[in-house]
Amino acid sequence: MSTKYDIVVIGGGPAGYVAAIRAGQLGFKTACVDQWLNRDGSHAFGGTCLNAGCIPSKALLESSELYERTKHEAETHGIGVGEVTLDVAKMLERKDGIAKQLTGGVQALFKANKVDGIAGTGTITAKDTVKVTPVTDDGEEQELKAKHIIIASGSTPVELPMAKFDGDKIVDSWGALEFDEVPKRLGVIGAGVIGVELGSVWSRLGSETVLIEAMPDFLPIADAAIAKDAARQFKKQGLDIRLGAKVSKAEVKGDEVVVEYEAKDKTETLTFDKLIVAVGRRPETAKLLDGVDVKLSDRGFVEVDADYKTSVDGIYAVGDVIGGMMLAHKGEEEGVACVEKIHGEKVEVNYETIPSVIYTMPEVAWVGKTEQQCKDEGLDVNIGSFPFAANGRAKAMEQAIGQVKMIADAKTDRILGVHMVGPYVSELVAEMVVAMEFGGTAEDICLIMHAHPTLSEAVHEAAFSVHGRAIHAMNKKR
Ligand code: NAD
């Protein structure tokens, strides 16, 4: 017996569950199949984002920041707090509680939108058939028939052959959210987004943290000036960032992990209590296809056209599994767009205005082109910047660090990119995404009133600075 659906989504992460909800809203009979199992063997929708990524890491980033600021900043505010103590178990319990609430929310939304959420591994056995293999004791094998199948199977951490995960001493980003005590010496391979976020968590809680990064530059995807400013702040906080350092060996010896890396023709050896490997993620396609010729790229991503159609009629793919920026919000937009396209609507995802955020302290956020990209494309630009040191709200918050940098086309004044490092820039970047979506200019931002005193005034002033007329800072001679 098989159940018939209009749309079956494989994968219940941000791309998949959002696609399923939108499909339900549009009146499609929809199922979402997901194989995620938590450590206790329970199934949950929400994928890596809700269970082992974005949300739990933000919970620990918040807790660890509060701990560090209470320890080091309370006195500055004239607040005496006595001895500040740490209960790691409670911190992890809070994190897990938040994830549970949100994954429960997905279940409730499925119900409200008449989506059948099915726990199990989905395998496409024909262009209109998904076989579900149970992952929980109470599950059973089933066959689903579908007019349309959407692959949203996500991605998993890349494992290094010389530093294989053992789930205890050498862990991936999920394991790094579950240390039951603060490691005294923590190593992180990869100073990318995950490396700096998780390195920050444990460093704030007391770990001596070393980030080992193969590339010669720090955060090469960010604007160079912003990356430099961020690196300065992170180093000040005690993160030991080693650039141009390629790990050649990592070996568990008793209670320790010994890591060797090559830097400037020299081999260095470091010893840690825990090692996090955060060197990127790869598409998850294991057990996904059986006898169906969905084309994968050389790197294993599902290949799609502009309508998210794969090489097989009726099968689509969205999110991390199709490559591009591996971000939850990019996957969500694709999930919605894919379903609406199936529904016959004309929709497009604007890949030029995907915001990027690194949730450190200070945060790093940007949208659009970096200064270097503008140079490489031969664009003539005007650049303005404004330091948070001159922003009243940031001062009052004791977080007057970082800057906003705005790049605008020299002829049209159209905003090409905005790059920030500073307090809550994850929120400030949204204004710039809107501005760029509307084809806004630096002048437009100048003419828009920004509340005082707010952090958003730094964005306002950066726009003024593009025209050499910042009010609360010196303007560079032009
Ligand atoms: P990443 O690509 O951001 O960084 C990996 C880093 O590891 C790179 O800088 C790379 O040069 C380095 N590296 C690779 N091999 C190495 C080696 N052998 N030795 C030393 N360094 C090495 O990947 P990530 O940090 O693992 O994150 C994975 C994905 O998840 C990314 O696409 C990221 O955007 C996404 N993510 C986003 C957020 C966010 O938006 N805040 C948070 C977490 C993850």
Side-chain angles (χ1 to χ4, degrees), residues 3-11 16 19-20 23 28-34 115-116 118 122-124 128-132 143-152 314-316 342:
T3 318
K4 287 199 170 108
Y5 289 97
D6 295 316
I7 296 182
V8 170
V9 183
I10 300 180
F28 289 117
K29 184 169 163 52
T30 307
C32 181
V33 184
D34 187 282
V115 173
D116 289 344
I118 302 172
T123 304
I124 308 175
D128 64 347
T129 312
V130 175
K131 184 181 89 181
V132 179
E143 190 182 77
L144 314 177
K145 286 282 178 193
K147 284 187 201 148
H148 310 277
I149 297 170
I150 301 176
I151 300 169
I315 303 181
Y316 307 75
I342 292 172

mmCIF file of all heavy atoms in Angstrom, residues 3-11 16 19-20 23 28-34 115-116 118 122-124 128-132 143-152 314-316 342:
data_model
loop_
_atom_site.group_PDB
_atom_site.id
_atom_site.type_symbol
_atom_site.label_atom_id
_atom_site.label_comp_id
_atom_site.label_asym_id
_atom_site.label_seq_id
_atom_site.Cartn_x
_atom_site.Cartn_y
_atom_site.Cartn_z
ATOM 1 N N THR A 3 0.910 5.654 0.012
ATOM 2 C CA THR A 3 0.091 6.861 0.203
ATOM 3 C C THR A 3 0.436 7.841 -0.907
ATOM 4 O O THR A 3 1.614 7.993 -1.263
ATOM 5 C CB THR A 3 0.409 7.487 1.574
ATOM 6 O OG1 THR A 3 0.515 6.434 2.526
ATOM 7 C CG2 THR A 3 -0.681 8.440 2.016
ATOM 8 N N LYS A 4 -0.573 8.529 -1.419
ATOM 9 C CA LYS A 4 -0.346 9.456 -2.542
ATOM 10 C C LYS A 4 -0.272 10.902 -2.048
ATOM 11 O O LYS A 4 -1.110 11.350 -1.259
ATOM 12 C CB LYS A 4 -1.494 9.340 -3.548
ATOM 13 C CG LYS A 4 -1.446 8.073 -4.359
ATOM 14 C CD LYS A 4 -2.304 8.227 -5.611
ATOM 15 C CE LYS A 4 -2.076 7.076 -6.549
ATOM 16 N NZ LYS A 4 -3.142 6.144 -6.647
ATOM 17 N N TYR A 5 0.726 11.605 -2.530
ATOM 18 C CA TYR A 5 0.901 13.027 -2.176
ATOM 19 C C TYR A 5 1.104 13.869 -3.433
ATOM 20 O O TYR A 5 1.525 13.364 -4.474
ATOM 21 C CB TYR A 5 2.136 13.191 -1.276
ATOM 22 C CG TYR A 5 1.941 12.648 0.122
ATOM 23 C CD1 TYR A 5 2.387 11.380 0.462
ATOM 24 C CD2 TYR A 5 1.307 13.422 1.096
ATOM 25 C CE1 TYR A 5 2.193 10.881 1.740
ATOM 26 C CE2 TYR A 5 1.122 12.931 2.379
ATOM 27 C CZ TYR A 5 1.560 11.662 2.698
ATOM 28 O OH TYR A 5 1.370 11.181 3.964
ATOM 29 N N ASP A 6 0.839 15.180 -3.291
ATOM 30 C CA ASP A 6 1.227 16.098 -4.363
ATOM 31 C C ASP A 6 2.737 16.352 -4.257
ATOM 32 O O ASP A 6 3.458 16.330 -5.246
ATOM 33 C CB ASP A 6 0.493 17.450 -4.212
ATOM 34 C CG ASP A 6 -1.004 17.299 -4.398
ATOM 35 O OD1 ASP A 6 -1.404 16.591 -5.345
ATOM 36 O OD2 ASP A 6 -1.777 17.872 -3.596
ATOM 37 N N ILE A 7 3.175 16.626 -3.020
ATOM 38 C CA ILE A 7 4.599 16.941 -2.805
ATOM 39 C C ILE A 7 5.146 16.151 -1.622
ATOM 40 O O ILE A 7 4.542 16.141 -0.544
ATOM 41 C CB ILE A 7 4.804 18.456 -2.532
ATOM 42 C CG1 ILE A 7 4.391 19.277 -3.766
ATOM 43 C CG2 ILE A 7 6.244 18.752 -2.136
ATOM 44 C CD1 ILE A 7 4.588 20.787 -3.624
ATOM 45 N N VAL A 8 6.275 15.463 -1.845
ATOM 46 C CA VAL A 8 7.004 14.850 -0.732
ATOM 47 C C VAL A 8 8.348 15.567 -0.633
ATOM 48 O O VAL A 8 9.086 15.681 -1.624
ATOM 49 C CB VAL A 8 7.217 13.337 -0.945
ATOM 50 C CG1 VAL A 8 8.187 12.781 0.101
ATOM 51 C CG2 VAL A 8 5.889 12.594 -0.861
ATOM 52 N N VAL A 9 8.639 16.104 0.552
ATOM 53 C CA VAL A 9 9.912 16.783 0.789
ATOM 54 C C VAL A 9 10.807 15.827 1.565
ATOM 55 O O VAL A 9 10.375 15.266 2.578
ATOM 56 C CB VAL A 9 9.706 18.082 1.608
ATOM 57 C CG1 VAL A 9 11.027 18.820 1.774
ATOM 58 C CG2 VAL A 9 8.657 18.986 0.958
ATOM 59 N N ILE A 10 12.026 15.637 1.089
ATOM 60 C CA ILE A 10 12.979 14.797 1.838
ATOM 61 C C ILE A 10 13.936 15.724 2.569
ATOM 62 O O ILE A 10 14.725 16.438 1.941
ATOM 63 C CB ILE A 10 13.741 13.840 0.904
ATOM 64 C CG1 ILE A 10 12.753 12.926 0.175
ATOM 65 C CG2 ILE A 10 14.767 13.028 1.697
ATOM 66 C CD1 ILE A 10 13.410 11.949 -0.780
ATOM 67 N N GLY A 11 13.855 15.719 3.888
ATOM 68 C CA GLY A 11 14.681 16.602 4.710
ATOM 69 C C GLY A 11 13.812 17.622 5.409
ATOM 70 O O GLY A 11 12.996 18.298 4.773
ATOM 71 N N GLY A 16 13.775 22.318 3.962
ATOM 72 C CA GLY A 16 12.728 21.318 3.777
ATOM 73 C C GLY A 16 11.453 21.597 4.546
ATOM 74 O O GLY A 16 10.358 21.552 3.981
ATOM 75 N N ALA A 19 9.654 24.554 3.072
ATOM 76 C CA ALA A 19 9.022 24.182 1.789
ATOM 77 C C ALA A 19 7.724 23.416 2.056
ATOM 78 O O ALA A 19 6.690 23.655 1.416
ATOM 79 C CB ALA A 19 9.985 23.342 0.959
ATOM 80 N N ALA A 20 7.769 22.488 3.027
ATOM 81 C CA ALA A 20 6.586 21.666 3.323
ATOM 82 C C ALA A 20 5.439 22.532 3.860
ATOM 83 O O ALA A 20 4.277 22.357 3.457
ATOM 84 C CB ALA A 20 6.959 20.578 4.336
ATOM 85 N N ALA A 23 3.990 24.487 1.057
ATOM 86 C CA ALA A 23 3.197 23.594 0.197
ATOM 87 C C ALA A 23 1.828 23.342 0.829
ATOM 88 O O ALA A 23 0.795 23.381 0.154
ATOM 89 C CB ALA A 23 3.948 22.283 -0.022
ATOM 90 N N PHE A 28 -1.395 21.945 -1.310
ATOM 91 C CA PHE A 28 -0.834 20.673 -1.779
ATOM 92 C C PHE A 28 -0.925 19.636 -0.661
ATOM 93 O O PHE A 28 -0.654 19.958 0.503
ATOM 94 C CB PHE A 28 0.648 20.835 -2.141
ATOM 95 C CG PHE A 28 0.907 21.627 -3.396
ATOM 96 C CD1 PHE A 28 1.600 22.839 -3.347
ATOM 97 C CD2 PHE A 28 0.485 21.155 -4.639
ATOM 98 C CE1 PHE A 28 1.871 23.561 -4.506
ATOM 99 C CE2 PHE A 28 0.755 21.885 -5.804
ATOM 100 C CZ PHE A 28 1.436 23.083 -5.730
ATOM 101 N N LYS A 29 -1.263 18.413 -1.018
ATOM 102 C CA LYS A 29 -1.195 17.329 -0.024
ATOM 103 C C LYS A 29 0.296 16.988 0.120
ATOM 104 O O LYS A 29 0.949 16.566 -0.848
ATOM 105 C CB LYS A 29 -2.007 16.112 -0.491
ATOM 106 C CG LYS A 29 -2.059 15.001 0.547
ATOM 107 C CD LYS A 29 -3.071 13.941 0.160
ATOM 108 C CE LYS A 29 -2.883 12.633 0.911
ATOM 109 N NZ LYS A 29 -2.813 12.712 2.344
ATOM 110 N N THR A 30 0.819 17.216 1.312
ATOM 111 C CA THR A 30 2.280 17.233 1.493
ATOM 112 C C THR A 30 2.756 16.324 2.622
ATOM 113 O O THR A 30 2.116 16.240 3.671
ATOM 114 C CB THR A 30 2.744 18.683 1.820
ATOM 115 O OG1 THR A 30 2.227 19.561 0.824
ATOM 116 C CG2 THR A 30 4.246 18.804 1.882
ATOM 117 N N ALA A 31 3.913 15.683 2.375
ATOM 118 C CA ALA A 31 4.603 14.960 3.457
ATOM 119 C C ALA A 31 6.040 15.458 3.529
ATOM 120 O O ALA A 31 6.620 15.862 2.511
ATOM 121 C CB ALA A 31 4.596 13.460 3.184
ATOM 122 N N CYS A 32 6.595 15.456 4.739
ATOM 123 C CA CYS A 32 8.009 15.803 4.920
ATOM 124 C C CYS A 32 8.666 14.644 5.670
ATOM 125 O O CYS A 32 8.247 14.281 6.770
ATOM 126 C CB CYS A 32 8.139 17.098 5.718
ATOM 127 S SG CYS A 32 9.850 17.613 5.970
ATOM 128 N N VAL A 33 9.658 14.030 5.018
ATOM 129 C CA VAL A 33 10.343 12.865 5.595
ATOM 130 C C VAL A 33 11.692 13.315 6.132
ATOM 131 O O VAL A 33 12.451 13.970 5.419
ATOM 132 C CB VAL A 33 10.584 11.780 4.506
ATOM 133 C CG1 VAL A 33 11.204 10.532 5.117
ATOM 134 C CG2 VAL A 33 9.303 11.456 3.771
ATOM 135 N N ASP A 34 11.985 12.971 7.366
ATOM 136 C CA ASP A 34 13.263 13.408 7.944
ATOM 137 C C ASP A 34 13.848 12.330 8.855
ATOM 138 O O ASP A 34 13.125 11.706 9.630
ATOM 139 C CB ASP A 34 13.068 14.694 8.745
ATOM 140 C CG ASP A 34 14.396 15.247 9.212
ATOM 141 O OD1 ASP A 34 14.953 14.717 10.196
ATOM 142 O OD2 ASP A 34 14.892 16.189 8.575
ATOM 143 N N VAL A 115 0.456 19.065 7.040
ATOM 144 C CA VAL A 115 1.631 18.380 6.471
ATOM 145 C C VAL A 115 1.858 17.113 7.287
ATOM 146 O O VAL A 115 1.850 17.158 8.524
ATOM 147 C CB VAL A 115 2.892 19.278 6.559
ATOM 148 C CG1 VAL A 115 4.143 18.518 6.131
ATOM 149 C CG2 VAL A 115 2.712 20.544 5.733
ATOM 150 N N ASP A 116 2.045 15.981 6.622
ATOM 151 C CA ASP A 116 2.376 14.747 7.335
ATOM 152 C C ASP A 116 3.883 14.721 7.590
ATOM 153 O O ASP A 116 4.679 14.620 6.647
ATOM 154 C CB ASP A 116 1.985 13.510 6.499
ATOM 155 C CG ASP A 116 0.471 13.334 6.433
ATOM 156 O OD1 ASP A 116 -0.236 13.953 7.263
ATOM 157 O OD2 ASP A 116 -0.002 12.597 5.546
ATOM 158 N N ILE A 118 6.982 12.721 8.699
ATOM 159 C CA ILE A 118 7.285 11.284 8.825
ATOM 160 C C ILE A 118 8.747 11.108 9.239
ATOM 161 O O ILE A 118 9.659 11.612 8.567
ATOM 162 C CB ILE A 118 7.027 10.555 7.479
ATOM 163 C CG1 ILE A 118 5.551 10.756 7.054
ATOM 164 C CG2 ILE A 118 7.388 9.077 7.573
ATOM 165 C CD1 ILE A 118 5.238 10.251 5.654
ATOM 166 N N GLY A 122 14.405 8.865 3.731
ATOM 167 C CA GLY A 122 13.710 8.857 2.444
ATOM 168 C C GLY A 122 14.664 8.496 1.319
ATOM 169 O O GLY A 122 15.738 9.084 1.188
ATOM 170 N N THR A 123 14.296 7.506 0.529
ATOM 171 C CA THR A 123 15.101 7.113 -0.631
ATOM 172 C C THR A 123 14.211 7.207 -1.864
ATOM 173 O O THR A 123 13.105 6.650 -1.875
ATOM 174 C CB THR A 123 15.612 5.661 -0.473
ATOM 175 O OG1 THR A 123 16.327 5.571 0.758
ATOM 176 C CG2 THR A 123 16.518 5.251 -1.624
ATOM 177 N N ILE A 124 14.691 7.905 -2.885
ATOM 178 C CA ILE A 124 13.898 8.023 -4.117
ATOM 179 C C ILE A 124 14.174 6.792 -4.966
ATOM 180 O O ILE A 124 15.312 6.567 -5.402
ATOM 181 C CB ILE A 124 14.254 9.309 -4.885
ATOM 182 C CG1 ILE A 124 14.160 10.531 -3.950
ATOM 183 C CG2 ILE A 124 13.351 9.487 -6.099
ATOM 184 C CD1 ILE A 124 14.608 11.841 -4.580
ATOM 185 N N ASP A 128 8.571 9.094 -9.097
ATOM 186 C CA ASP A 128 7.380 9.478 -8.324
ATOM 187 C C ASP A 128 7.247 8.681 -7.027
ATOM 188 O O ASP A 128 6.174 8.614 -6.438
ATOM 189 C CB ASP A 128 6.117 9.266 -9.179
ATOM 190 C CG ASP A 128 5.911 7.795 -9.517
ATOM 191 O OD1 ASP A 128 6.862 6.992 -9.311
ATOM 192 O OD2 ASP A 128 4.811 7.447 -9.966
ATOM 193 N N THR A 129 8.358 8.085 -6.571
ATOM 194 C CA THR A 129 8.255 7.197 -5.400
ATOM 195 C C THR A 129 9.363 7.450 -4.376
ATOM 196 O O THR A 129 10.543 7.521 -4.734
ATOM 197 C CB THR A 129 8.336 5.708 -5.843
ATOM 198 O OG1 THR A 129 7.452 5.520 -6.942
ATOM 199 C CG2 THR A 129 7.972 4.765 -4.712
ATOM 200 N N VAL A 130 8.946 7.564 -3.115
ATOM 201 C CA VAL A 130 9.915 7.684 -2.025
ATOM 202 C C VAL A 130 9.684 6.525 -1.067
ATOM 203 O O VAL A 130 8.569 6.334 -0.561
ATOM 204 C CB VAL A 130 9.753 9.021 -1.260
ATOM 205 C CG1 VAL A 130 10.685 9.078 -0.053
ATOM 206 C CG2 VAL A 130 10.021 10.205 -2.182
ATOM 207 N N LYS A 131 10.747 5.744 -0.848
ATOM 208 C CA LYS A 131 10.664 4.660 0.142
ATOM 209 C C LYS A 131 11.135 5.234 1.479
ATOM 210 O O LYS A 131 12.171 5.915 1.544
ATOM 211 C CB LYS A 131 11.561 3.497 -0.288
ATOM 212 C CG LYS A 131 11.469 2.281 0.619
ATOM 213 C CD LYS A 131 12.398 1.193 0.160
ATOM 214 C CE LYS A 131 13.765 1.378 0.805
ATOM 215 N NZ LYS A 131 14.777 0.431 0.447
ATOM 216 N N VAL A 132 10.362 4.957 2.535
ATOM 217 C CA VAL A 132 10.753 5.463 3.857
ATOM 218 C C VAL A 132 11.208 4.292 4.728
ATOM 219 O O VAL A 132 10.457 3.337 4.954
ATOM 220 C CB VAL A 132 9.579 6.190 4.556
ATOM 221 C CG1 VAL A 132 10.011 6.685 5.937
ATOM 222 C CG2 VAL A 132 9.075 7.344 3.711
ATOM 223 N N GLU A 143 5.827 3.316 1.553
ATOM 224 C CA GLU A 143 6.103 3.827 0.216
ATOM 225 C C GLU A 143 5.189 5.023 -0.026
ATOM 226 O O GLU A 143 3.983 4.943 0.206
ATOM 227 C CB GLU A 143 5.833 2.742 -0.817
ATOM 228 C CG GLU A 143 6.321 3.119 -2.201
ATOM 229 C CD GLU A 143 5.999 2.034 -3.221
ATOM 230 O OE1 GLU A 143 4.834 1.939 -3.648
ATOM 231 O OE2 GLU A 143 6.928 1.300 -3.573
ATOM 232 N N LEU A 144 5.788 6.134 -0.452
ATOM 233 C CA LEU A 144 4.998 7.332 -0.727
ATOM 234 C C LEU A 144 5.041 7.606 -2.222
ATOM 235 O O LEU A 144 6.111 7.561 -2.837
ATOM 236 C CB LEU A 144 5.572 8.544 0.018
ATOM 237 C CG LEU A 144 5.950 8.363 1.500
ATOM 238 C CD1 LEU A 144 6.564 9.654 2.039
ATOM 239 C CD2 LEU A 144 4.724 7.962 2.329
ATOM 240 N N LYS A 145 3.888 7.867 -2.812
ATOM 241 C CA LYS A 145 3.837 8.255 -4.222
ATOM 242 C C LYS A 145 3.706 9.771 -4.268
ATOM 243 O O LYS A 145 2.960 10.359 -3.467
ATOM 244 C CB LYS A 145 2.623 7.609 -4.911
ATOM 245 C CG LYS A 145 2.808 6.123 -5.158
ATOM 246 C CD LYS A 145 3.709 5.914 -6.365
ATOM 247 C CE LYS A 145 3.959 4.432 -6.627
ATOM 248 N NZ LYS A 145 5.063 4.219 -7.573
ATOM 249 N N ALA A 146 4.417 10.429 -5.181
ATOM 250 C CA ALA A 146 4.390 11.891 -5.205
ATOM 251 C C ALA A 146 4.420 12.415 -6.628
ATOM 252 O O ALA A 146 5.151 11.900 -7.468
ATOM 253 C CB ALA A 146 5.591 12.429 -4.445
ATOM 254 N N LYS A 147 3.618 13.484 -6.866
ATOM 255 C CA LYS A 147 3.689 14.155 -8.174
ATOM 256 C C LYS A 147 5.010 14.921 -8.259
ATOM 257 O O LYS A 147 5.601 15.033 -9.321
ATOM 258 C CB LYS A 147 2.519 15.141 -8.304
ATOM 259 C CG LYS A 147 1.185 14.472 -8.579
ATOM 260 C CD LYS A 147 0.130 15.550 -8.851
ATOM 261 C CE LYS A 147 -1.239 14.952 -8.599
ATOM 262 N NZ LYS A 147 -2.204 15.923 -8.093
ATOM 263 N N HIS A 148 5.420 15.471 -7.119
ATOM 264 C CA HIS A 148 6.666 16.250 -7.073
ATOM 265 C C HIS A 148 7.461 15.830 -5.834
ATOM 266 O O HIS A 148 6.871 15.687 -4.759
ATOM 267 C CB HIS A 148 6.392 17.748 -6.955
ATOM 268 C CG HIS A 148 5.407 18.259 -7.953
ATOM 269 N ND1 HIS A 148 5.752 18.605 -9.239
ATOM 270 C CD2 HIS A 148 4.075 18.475 -7.857
ATOM 271 C CE1 HIS A 148 4.676 19.026 -9.887
ATOM 272 N NE2 HIS A 148 3.645 18.942 -9.071
ATOM 273 N N ILE A 149 8.757 15.664 -6.026
ATOM 274 C CA ILE A 149 9.627 15.345 -4.878
ATOM 275 C C ILE A 149 10.640 16.483 -4.737
ATOM 276 O O ILE A 149 11.260 16.895 -5.725
ATOM 277 C CB ILE A 149 10.371 14.005 -5.105
ATOM 278 C CG1 ILE A 149 9.370 12.849 -5.202
ATOM 279 C CG2 ILE A 149 11.386 13.751 -3.989
ATOM 280 C CD1 ILE A 149 9.983 11.532 -5.665
ATOM 281 N N ILE A 150 10.787 17.005 -3.522
ATOM 282 C CA ILE A 150 11.786 18.062 -3.286
ATOM 283 C C ILE A 150 12.871 17.505 -2.365
ATOM 284 O O ILE A 150 12.585 17.084 -1.238
ATOM 285 C CB ILE A 150 11.149 19.319 -2.645
ATOM 286 C CG1 ILE A 150 10.048 19.878 -3.555
ATOM 287 C CG2 ILE A 150 12.217 20.379 -2.373
ATOM 288 C CD1 ILE A 150 9.297 21.078 -2.964
ATOM 289 N N ILE A 151 14.090 17.495 -2.870
ATOM 290 C CA ILE A 151 15.233 17.042 -2.057
ATOM 291 C C ILE A 151 15.741 18.238 -1.252
ATOM 292 O O ILE A 151 16.072 19.275 -1.820
ATOM 293 C CB ILE A 151 16.372 16.505 -2.946
ATOM 294 C CG1 ILE A 151 15.899 15.321 -3.796
ATOM 295 C CG2 ILE A 151 17.583 16.127 -2.103
ATOM 296 C CD1 ILE A 151 16.888 14.913 -4.891
ATOM 297 N N ALA A 152 15.777 18.080 0.057
ATOM 298 C CA ALA A 152 16.306 19.149 0.933
ATOM 299 C C ALA A 152 17.090 18.445 2.042
ATOM 300 O O ALA A 152 16.858 18.658 3.224
ATOM 301 C CB ALA A 152 15.168 19.979 1.500
ATOM 302 N N GLY A 314 10.136 16.276 -12.362
ATOM 303 C CA GLY A 314 9.321 16.094 -11.154
ATOM 304 C C GLY A 314 10.126 16.036 -9.873
ATOM 305 O O GLY A 314 9.566 15.995 -8.777
ATOM 306 N N ILE A 315 11.462 16.001 -9.995
ATOM 307 C CA ILE A 315 12.310 15.998 -8.786
ATOM 308 C C ILE A 315 13.083 17.323 -8.725
ATOM 309 O O ILE A 315 13.717 17.735 -9.699
ATOM 310 C CB ILE A 315 13.284 14.800 -8.771
ATOM 311 C CG1 ILE A 315 12.499 13.479 -8.883
ATOM 312 C CG2 ILE A 315 14.136 14.814 -7.509
ATOM 313 C CD1 ILE A 315 13.361 12.237 -8.854
ATOM 314 N N TYR A 316 13.006 17.971 -7.579
ATOM 315 C CA TYR A 316 13.602 19.290 -7.366
ATOM 316 C C TYR A 316 14.589 19.191 -6.190
ATOM 317 O O TYR A 316 14.554 18.215 -5.433
ATOM 318 C CB TYR A 316 12.525 20.321 -7.003
ATOM 319 C CG TYR A 316 11.375 20.377 -7.986
ATOM 320 C CD1 TYR A 316 10.392 19.379 -8.010
ATOM 321 C CD2 TYR A 316 11.266 21.430 -8.891
ATOM 322 C CE1 TYR A 316 9.348 19.426 -8.916
ATOM 323 C CE2 TYR A 316 10.223 21.491 -9.799
ATOM 324 C CZ TYR A 316 9.267 20.482 -9.806
ATOM 325 O OH TYR A 316 8.240 20.536 -10.699
ATOM 326 N N ILE A 342 6.360 25.528 -8.425
ATOM 327 C CA ILE A 342 5.540 24.343 -8.740
ATOM 328 C C ILE A 342 4.070 24.761 -8.832
ATOM 329 O O ILE A 342 3.312 24.270 -9.656
ATOM 330 C CB ILE A 342 5.738 23.243 -7.657
ATOM 331 C CG1 ILE A 342 7.164 22.676 -7.719
ATOM 332 C CG2 ILE A 342 4.706 22.111 -7.814
ATOM 333 C CD1 ILE A 342 7.529 21.725 -6.591
#
